[in-house]
Amino acid sequence: MVYQVYPRSFLDSNGDGIGDLPGIIKKLDYLQWLGIDALWLNPICASPDADNGYDISDYYAIHEDFGTMEDFDRLAAGLHERGIRLILDLVVNHTSDEHPWFSASRSSPEHPMRDFYIWLPGNTDGKDLLPPNNWESFFEGSAWELDPCSREFYLHLFSRKQPDLNWENPKLRSEVYRMMNWWLDKGVDGFRMDVINMISKVPGYPDGTPGASSGILGSEHFINGPLVIEYLREMRQSLHTRKDLLTIGETSDVDADAALTYVNSHDGPLSMLFQIDHMEIDQNEEGYWSCVPWKLADMKRILASWQTGMHGRGWNTLFLNNHDQPRMVSRFGNDREYRKQSAKLLAMMLYTLEGTPFIYQGEEIGMTNAYFDSIEDYRDVWAKNFYARSAAEGTNEQEIMRHIKYRGRDNARTPMQWDQGPCGGFTSGKPWIRVNPNFREINVSQAMDDPDSILHFYRTLIRMRKTHAVLVFGDFPLHAGDHEQLFAYTRTLNDQRADVFLLFSQTPLDIRSLADQKQIPYASGELLLANYDDAEEHPDMLRPYEARVYRSISGSYLTAGNQEK
Ligand code: GLC
Ligand code: CA
């Protein structure tokens, strides 16, 4: 399993309020104790931070807020000594507009590096110069920005400070591969590839059709574009060979079939994918900032289609939150009276499905959304732009904040809560973003001392998964797919069987009668793990957010009253 660190918010070692590499080094023993196999770091390269490091200005330098290249080398060595692999974030759909490549490219249409980025003349309506097409950017209005000198527009799918690289240019591509090899030679074990299925754009840059894709206007012309697989194959072939190189593509807008072009076990160019279908179950056609109630039946349908679609053919990731998503216990569980139970339930789900589980820092102690009331407390460019745009459109403050409090990415970017000390032990200075006020109750030190904590439960789950191959490789029959409170499934591998029961509700549920009706199997076999101590004494009823996994071998299972299933 992989642990994701958002360096800016993990641990600050020098009191400047910003997490850093020496801070991560201090916590390596903690990560090893937890049992992780690999560490993924969000971007650590030099960046003016228009998008917290996803706008890189020098691929060969460590961000000065995070430390030095020596710190990086110490971190890599410390991880490797502990048998933990190191995965970097590869941000190559775009750079910062402060990257020297962009300065050169912008300097003149004749510059040899002009073509490292995507420049087009605009359209004119006789009066004004208009963008070349109607594509929208994720973070702000049109995806095109006019350069006043050359009177041409450059493409930016994210903020205007993140110009898109032109992957059609072979020189640019070889620069990217050179840079990747440089990091591989330094001992990096793999890459998480940022928005990697956006690197190939449809030639001619045609207008987007409203409603043509689930994403923003034009995205059907830049997501899963015509040459993306070819580029990724070329990338794979250009990298210094490493048998165990781990590559994880961040790919929105793929279904299981499309995913298999990226990760099929035969010739897929990547090891695994982050697909985000299940992260969109609380959105409507208004897109990212909408927040509509989600339904368990949708979650089950989506996860089941990925489980069966990929089984035996390609490998997937398992996650319910990261630095771009709200905290999972706040979104899919209950972060008030059932925080502990529901965080464990969600974890149990992740660790009993096929794929590689990812823990986002703080998830293992059940950190919750920040829910800051004032826009002043938010830092994310996306939230700030959404606020400004909605305010300009006349939406009232409270309504705008409702969306940001539910969905905003800063919910998950508040500092890691280590102890009850000032700022939760994150910094001795002033943190770059406020600490979640609940740090006195929710922190690592408290969780270490509490044998019943979410943290200890994660540690147990990680070990359990390592000892039971059926949980990793088994197939996946789903039961009672339409049930709105219960998620129940079976994993089977040869004669091994695991039955999982997860109650996504505060209202207890009689599972014996559902089994009598043949909707689900009986809860029987060896109880491997549960999130209630006395689960064995209450086999027929699931209590609020109760989660259990039973193991059996087929012979013994058949005698347990499940002959018909
Ligand atoms: C990815 C990153 C996100 C970033 C965006 C642009 O989705 O995870 O944090 O803002 O790409 O690089
Ligand atoms: Ca610092």
Side-chain angles (χ1 to χ4, degrees):
M1 51 105 357
V2 183
Y3 189 95
Q4 178 189 354
V5 162
Y6 196 68
R8 178 163 284 276
S9 299
F10 194 62
L11 182 63
D12 172 23
S13 70
N14 61 353
D16 66 358
I18 302 174
D20 44 48
L21 302 184
I24 303 172
I25 294 171
K26 285 193 176 165
K27 293 296 176 183
L28 290 181
D29 288 339
Y30 167 73
L31 297 172
Q32 183 180 32
W33 171 85
L34 191 57
I36 71 167
D37 302 309
L39 184 76
W40 155 32
L41 292 178
N42 285 103
I44 53 167
C45 289
S47 162
D49 287 330
D51 183 22
N52 283 4
Y54 282 94
D55 48 320
I56 293 176
S57 53
D58 185 350
Y59 288 107
Y60 296 91
I62 299 293
H63 194 308
E64 56 181 20
D65 288 344
F66 295 159
T68 61
M69 199 53 85
E70 288 70 49
D71 295 328
F72 173 83
D73 292 335
R74 277 198 299 133
L75 173 60
L79 286 164
H80 290 149
E81 274 160 27
R82 292 170 177 79
I84 301 172
R85 295 204 261 168
L86 174 56
I87 298 165
L88 291 191
D89 219 306
L90 180 81
V91 189
V92 291
N93 175 69
H94 43 264
T95 66
S96 165
D97 65 341
E98 297 179 33
H99 194 289
W101 293 345
F102 191 70
S103 311
S105 175
R106 178 162 28 199
S107 66
S108 148
E110 277 72 52
H111 195 285
M113 283 180 127
R114 180 71 165 181
D115 215 22
F116 266 39
Y117 295 84
I118 299 169
W119 291 95
L120 283 183
N123 293 315
T124 172
D125 59 359
K127 196 159 59 70
D128 294 316
L129 199 51
L130 304 171
N133 68 22
N134 66 0
W135 294 6
E136 285 171 344
S137 72
F138 286 90
F139 293 167
E140 47 181 343
S142 169
W144 298 93
E145 180 75 5
L146 178 66
D147 174 50
C149 292
S150 66
R151 310 277 296 155
E152 288 192 330
F153 290 81
Y154 66 85
L155 179 70
H156 63 89
L157 296 182
F158 293 88
S159 85
R160 72 192 68 182
K161 285 192 63 68
Q162 294 165 290
D164 277 52
L165 287 165
N166 177 17
W167 275 74
E168 286 179 25
N169 182 339
K171 288 211 185 86
L172 175 270
R173 299 204 301 276
S174 69
E175 279 294 337
V176 170
Y177 310 150
R178 186 168 80 88
M179 176 270 287
M180 293 173 76
N181 278 322
W182 188 83
W183 283 105
L184 287 174
D185 292 345
K186 283 187 74 67
V188 162
D189 303 289
F191 300 98
R192 174 269 186 187
M193 303 181 173
D194 190 57
V195 293
I196 200 66
N197 62 337
M198 301 191 194
I199 57 177
S200 163
K201 280 81 176 172
V202 167
Y205 303 91
D207 271 338
T209 313
S213 69
S214 62
I216 56 171
L217 196 55
S219 58
E220 73 274 26
H221 299 310
F222 59 75
I223 297 188
N224 303 317
L227 296 178
V228 59
I229 298 290
E230 197 174 300
Y231 293 152
L232 292 176
R233 290 227 165 94
E234 180 189 77
M235 174 191 282
R236 190 72 190 86
Q237 281 153 10
S238 310
L239 295 183
H240 297 169
T241 32
R242 282 275 306 263
K243 193 163 88 299
D244 57 349
L245 180 73
L246 196 60
T247 52
I248 311 145
E250 186 204 18
T251 52
S252 57
D253 283 278
V254 293
D255 56 19
D257 280 340
L260 286 168
T261 59
Y262 294 90
V263 294
N264 71 77
S265 31
H266 166 57
D267 64 353
L270 301 179
S271 327
M272 52 182 106
L273 290 188
F274 284 126
Q275 55 79 24
I276 58 170
D277 275 0
H278 63 302
M279 293 283 109
E280 293 176 346
I281 59 176
D282 44 7
Q283 288 177 33
N284 58 21
E285 54 299 334
E286 279 167 28
Y288 184 81
W289 290 100
S290 54
C291 36
V292 295
W294 63 279
K295 294 200 183 72
L296 182 65
D298 290 337
M299 173 78 93
K300 293 195 285 187
R301 180 177 43 75
I302 293 169
L303 291 180
S305 79
W306 281 94
Q307 288 294 301
T308 47
M310 304 291 271
H311 183 66
R313 298 197 284 162
W315 200 245
N316 208 352
T317 59
L318 299 163
F319 70 98
L320 288 172
N321 51 198
N322 59 34
H323 65 293
D324 289 332
Q325 302 288 341
R327 288 283 177 185
M328 72 185 204
V329 68
S330 298
R331 188 176 181 188
F332 302 116
N334 173 318
D335 62 7
R336 297 168 308 277
E337 60 272 46
Y338 296 111
R339 187 183 63 90
K340 235 178 175 179
Q341 292 85 341
S342 64
K344 290 179 183 178
L345 164 124
L346 295 168
M348 171 98 74
M349 179 179 103
L350 293 171
Y351 285 77
T352 54
L353 290 173
E354 181 167 300
T356 294
F358 280 67
I359 297 183
Y360 177 63
Q361 65 181 44
E363 169 188 330
E364 76 276 23
I365 53 168
M367 277 177 64
T368 68
N369 277 354
Y371 300 128
F372 296 142
D373 289 319
S374 160
I375 189 67
E376 299 303 316
D377 289 327
Y378 290 83
R379 299 285 174 269
D380 181 20
V381 54
W382 201 348
K384 288 190 176 297
N385 288 349
F386 170 73
Y387 183 92
R389 196 183 67 227
S390 311
E393 286 165 359
T395 315
N396 78 49
E397 161 97 19
Q398 228 189 343
E399 178 59 12
I400 308 175
M401 290 315 295
R402 185 173 73 85
H403 292 261
I404 295 180
K405 281 157 87 167
Y406 177 80
R407 165 73 65 176
R409 303 194 293 180
D410 285 334
N411 274 315
R413 296 178 179 183
T414 60
M416 181 73 183
Q417 295 164 204
W418 294 105
D419 57 41
Q420 301 190 350
C423 289
F426 164 71
T427 180
S428 57
K430 185 174 181 310
W432 70 276
I433 185 171
R434 275 179 61 197
V435 179
N436 191 316
N438 64 20
F439 72 86
R440 285 195 186 78
E441 298 84 59
I442 304 173
N443 60 65
V444 172
S445 140
Q446 179 280 334
M448 280 280 184
D449 293 344
D450 171 9
D452 185 43
S453 66
I454 300 166
L455 179 62
H456 285 290
F457 193 80
Y458 264 87
R459 193 159 178 256
T460 309
L461 273 174
I462 292 168
R463 290 176 171 188
M464 177 182 87
R465 190 176 169 88
K466 286 189 173 150
T467 40
H468 296 286
V470 61
L471 297 175
V472 183
F473 301 110
D475 63 8
F476 173 87
L478 172 70
H479 310 294
D482 294 332
H483 202 286
E484 273 301 346
Q485 286 80 41
L486 180 69
F487 193 1
Y489 47 91
T490 301
R491 310 286 312 277
T492 56
L493 182 70
N494 306 321
D495 64 345
Q496 296 289 314
R497 168 175 181 129
D499 287 290
V500 182
F501 301 90
L502 308 167
L503 182 62
F504 280 75
S505 165
Q506 300 184 24
T507 314
L509 181 75
D510 175 358
I511 46 171
R512 172 142 204 125
S513 66
L514 282 179
D516 285 342
Q517 295 160 27
K518 309 246 178 297
Q519 292 197 40
I520 59 171
Y522 285 97
S524 62
E526 173 202 354
L527 183 63
L528 269 186
L529 189 64
N531 62 351
Y532 279 71
D533 278 352
D534 56 352
E536 227 129 16
E537 291 150 38
H538 303 268
D540 298 340
M541 283 298 272
L542 293 181
R543 276 78 50 85
Y545 293 98
E546 184 159 356
R548 298 184 203 159
V549 52
Y550 292 90
R551 185 184 81 110
S552 46
I553 45 176
S554 46
S556 66
Y557 171 76
L558 283 174
T559 59
N562 280 300
Q563 291 86 342
E564 310 264 337
K565 276 259 153 199

